Amino acid sequence: MTVTIGSRVIGGGRPAYVIAEIGLNHNGDVELAKRLIDVAADAGADAVKFQKRTPEIATPEHMRDIPRETPWGTMTYLEYRYRVEFDRDQYIEISDHAMLRGLEWFASPWDEPSVAFLEDLGVHAHKVASASLTDHGLLRALRDTGKTVILSTGMSTMDEIDAAIDVLGTERLLLMHATSTYPMEPGEANLRMIPALRERFPGVPVGYSGHERGLQISLAAVALGAVAVERHITLDRTMWGSDHAASLEPTGLQHLVRDIRVIESALGDGVKRVYQSELAPMAKLRRVPA
Ligand SMILES: C=C(OP(=O)(O)O)C(=O)O
């Protein structure tokens, strides 16, 4: 089964759909967001992704008043959440820039008003962050948009995943295996969940949302059949902000896309054949039986 995001079809043996997750790595700066869109486009990614919150709803209550040192001075966690949100005009600027660079853009809405906000901007898909997998009100609002929904499964039990899929349905669903640690240690990647999810939800395309350092684990995910790969991107891993350290810098994203395409061409079709290019080595090396 395949899903569609804008003009791209995902799954069914097509090249893996590469999502460059800008998330909050724009640090509230539209110019930085546009530079990250350029990084994604130059690397050959298919889409850029953001996170959209209504801070007074999406921020857990026990986190709101915790003080945080930020580049803009000391503020509460809630104030910080407001500081890194874009308004409608800023998203229009971002959307125009993504379209100009030939990229789809969408976001993970972290609350129901954010779904309406993104719908109004005409996004082609929505993402459910792992943290939102148990928010059935949000899932219902997303299901009702009729758009493709990408569901990340980090920090979730199989029962919680089953319940989320009961709400969303399987028709326009792209499932993403994920482990929600930043950065993720290889021993907790559990990539065999990719075939396990495929088996549990037949016909649902399964991808991978990664938070590891480096490229190997995301590339192995593609070798295991992931139909989409999402990675955070940044201009500089040492920048201030919680996701930069587990992000890919521009060269890392370029190498990711390049290596995914090499792996896809190397996977072949599983039908044994003798290649034309093997004939000369065969003539030289294989003894003709007496
Ligand atoms: C946090 C997010 O996703 P994931 O759980 O895949 O990291 C997100 O999309 O906002």
Side-chain angles (χ1 to χ4, degrees), residues 21 49-51 108 110 127-131 152 154 178 180 182 209 211 230 232:
E21 158 72 316
K49 191 197 147 286
F50 294 86
Q51 299 182 9
S108 46
W110 285 63
K127 162 95 189 284
V128 180
S130 300
S152 246
S180 302
Y182 304 81
S209 175
H211 310 108
E230 178 180 320
H232 287 259

Side-chain angles (χ1 to χ4, degrees), residues 102-115:
L103 295 176
E104 306 286 349
W105 80 275
F106 51 90
S108 46
W110 285 63
D111 50 76
E112 292 173 50
S114 294
V115 178

Side-chain angles (χ1 to χ4, degrees), residues 115-132:
V115 178
F117 177 94
L118 292 166
E119 279 291 290
D120 183 51
L121 288 164
V123 290
H124 291 295
H126 294 282
K127 162 95 189 284
V128 180
S130 300
S132 305

